[in-house]
Amino acid sequence: MYKVTIIAGARPNFMKIAPIIHAIQKAKQENFEIDYRLVHTGQHYDKNMSGSFFEQLEIPEPHVNLECSGGTQAEQTAAIMINFEKELMANPADLVLVVGDVTSTMACALVAQKLHTKVAHVEGGIRSDDWSMPEEINRLVTDSITNYFFTTSETANTTLRASGVKDDQIFFVGNTMIDTLLKQRPNFTAPKVWDELGLEKGNYIVMTLHRPANVDEESQLKDMIDEIIENTQNLPLIFPVHPRTAKILERLNISHSRLHTVEPLSYLEFNYLVEKAKAVITDSGGITEEASIMRVPCLTLRDNTERPETITLGTNELVGTNPKNLKPYLDTLFAGNWKKGNDIPLWDGKTAARIVENLKINISE
């Protein structure tokens, strides 16, 4: 029996591992001797991650929650390593599979290698080249000690090869986040704000801001929101607000009749809004992927991105963090001249099946 321990530390990780677990379960039914153990490190406490979250996305409940939330970066890394070491020693595996770029990804990869357990990294090789982002450090460390890389793009493959990774360690499979998106698209659900504001398809904009570069500097946040309000004509702006951003908005007394702040939304509600929006203004990497697949114009308020394929092939544009950069992009949007986007190779809903096929053929033997 080939045993895989799968790590999830934050809500987006669960969207990425759900299809892998479904593909493992299917392979088991087809007599591939494989089993998995799902470890939630508890890195991010998220009140939306109730039983209904797992039920809606058809994700099995984790076998264990290591409950490592809170603390500084170093404290959290240490807590995850200490608790995961005990977990892996009690439940040995042939492979530890980590996803994305959160602290849990790096910490669990380190523990696995020190216990002589092979590591596979889903989304290996992506880079922003911005070392001020904790995620970039996590990616660099994880990829330096990974045995097998499941990649989302040829750009990631090129990056890995340039760092000395051999071709037989790299498996270009696509994007598991898109597996979940395409599977759940028929289940998208209108949030309360849809009826409350009488929203209509193509007639509002969705905003998300959470990165420190945009929200921690109060004058920067105020200037950015002022610029968005000034250049979005008469459209409602729907802004699901992260709790720490909400506090800053309150302190700055930012309000406008078209700016509607709402509580964080569930995955199915949020993507319902994105799918029907005129555009999304965000600083999130994952949302740029989903918007591109749904062909929704996306303006990214960052100076770099680890997902360049959303720009070269998708509907995303890198606006930067200077609020004054926004106007020309919004002018293009309202003139009806936004790019339409193309298919992104292997972002087709079949990534998890390719991962498990590689576990069967190339890795487990």
Side-chain angles (χ1 to χ4, degrees), residues 16 100-102 123-131 133-137 139 143 151-157 159 175 210-211 283-289 300 302-312 316 318 347:
K16 295 171 186 179
D101 50 26
V102 296
E123 290 190 357
I126 66 173
R127 298 285 184 273
S128 67
D129 295 320
D130 178 359
W131 284 31
M133 294 172 65
E135 297 93 337
E136 184 72 355
I137 306 304
R139 291 178 201 121
D143 283 349
T151 62
T152 58
S153 69
E154 284 293 0
T155 306
N157 300 342
T159 298
N175 189 336
H210 73 281
R211 291 194 180 274
D283 57 9
S284 159
I287 291 169
T288 68
E289 297 176 323
T300 298
R302 289 173 54 185
D303 295 317
N304 49 62
T305 178
E306 61 281 1
R307 294 167 173 86
E309 58 275 15
T310 64
I311 296 168
T312 55
N316 183 29
L318 202 60
W347 291 25

Side-chain angles (χ1 to χ4, degrees), residues 213-226 248 252 254 323:
N214 286 323
V215 301
D216 283 2
E217 178 56 55
E218 295 186 0
S219 61
Q220 163 80 3
L221 179 62
K222 186 173 189 324
D223 289 349
M224 191 70 86
I225 291 176
D226 286 347
I248 299 169
L252 290 173
I254 292 176

Side-chain angles (χ1 to χ4, degrees), residues 188-206:
F188 291 171
T189 308
K192 281 190 301 185
V193 69
W194 180 265
D195 288 328
E196 286 171 357
L197 296 178
L199 297 177
E200 296 172 355
K201 183 175 167 60
N203 210 30
Y204 61 92
I205 288 174
V206 174

Side-chain angles (χ1 to χ4, degrees), residues 92-111:
D94 298 294
L95 181 76
V96 169
L97 188 144
V98 296
V99 298
D101 50 26
V102 296
T103 300
S104 301
T105 306
M106 173 188 70
C108 293
L110 280 165
V111 168

Side-chain angles (χ1 to χ4, degrees), residues 57-225:
L57 297 177
E58 300 166 67
I59 301 169
E61 293 271 357
H63 292 88
V64 65
N65 185 330
L66 304 182
E67 299 183 353
C68 300
S69 64
T72 65
Q73 291 272 337
E75 287 167 339
Q76 192 167 66
T77 303
I80 294 167
M81 289 183 72
I82 290 164
N83 288 7
F84 182 57
E85 183 181 57
K86 291 173 187 165
E87 157 64 28
L88 191 57
M89 288 173 77
N91 299 281
D94 298 294
L95 181 76
V96 169
L97 188 144
V98 296
V99 298
D101 50 26
V102 296
T103 300
S104 301
T105 306
M106 173 188 70
C108 293
L110 280 165
V111 168
Q113 287 294 6
K114 291 200 171 194
L115 291 177
H116 311 297
T117 306
K118 295 272 175 67
V119 173
H121 184 196
V122 175
E123 290 190 357
I126 66 173
R127 298 285 184 273
S128 67
D129 295 320
D130 178 359
W131 284 31
S132 71
M133 294 172 65
E135 297 93 337
E136 184 72 355
I137 306 304
N138 295 339
R139 291 178 201 121
L140 288 162
V141 173
T142 302
D143 283 349
S144 70
I145 56 169
T146 287
N147 303 93
Y148 309 111
F149 301 84
F150 293 118
T151 62
T152 58
S153 69
E154 284 293 0
T155 306
N157 300 342
T158 302
T159 298
L160 291 170
R161 289 186 190 109
S163 70
V165 176
K166 296 180 176 64
D167 279 342
D168 62 3
Q169 296 174 272
I170 300 170
F171 304 97
F172 177 29
V173 291
N175 189 336
T176 59
M177 193 73 146
I178 304 308
D179 288 21
T180 294
L181 181 78
L182 296 177
K183 181 176 182 178
Q184 294 300 333
R185 201 170 184 177
N187 304 324
F188 291 171
T189 308
K192 281 190 301 185
V193 69
W194 180 265
D195 288 328
E196 286 171 357
L197 296 178
L199 297 177
E200 296 172 355
K201 183 175 167 60
N203 210 30
Y204 61 92
I205 288 174
V206 174
M207 290 169 56
T208 78
L209 294 172
H210 73 281
R211 291 194 180 274
N214 286 323
V215 301
D216 283 2
E217 178 56 55
E218 295 186 0
S219 61
Q220 163 80 3
L221 179 62
K222 186 173 189 324
D223 289 349
M224 191 70 86
I225 291 176

Side-chain angles (χ1 to χ4, degrees), residues 235-288:
L235 292 191
L237 301 163
I238 314 304
F239 188 5
V241 180
H242 190 283
R244 64 199 282 272
T245 310
K247 284 178 191 157
I248 299 169
L249 290 176
E250 206 175 297
R251 201 159 58 238
L252 290 173
N253 198 23
I254 292 176
S255 64
H256 189 276
S257 59
R258 289 192 293 109
L259 180 66
H260 305 280
T261 56
V262 297
E263 289 271 310
L265 300 171
S266 74
Y267 177 83
L268 298 177
E269 289 174 326
F270 180 74
N271 278 303
Y272 183 96
L273 281 185
V274 170
E275 184 182 37
K276 293 174 169 52
K278 183 172 184 68
V280 182
I281 300 173
T282 187
D283 57 9
S284 159
I287 291 169
T288 68

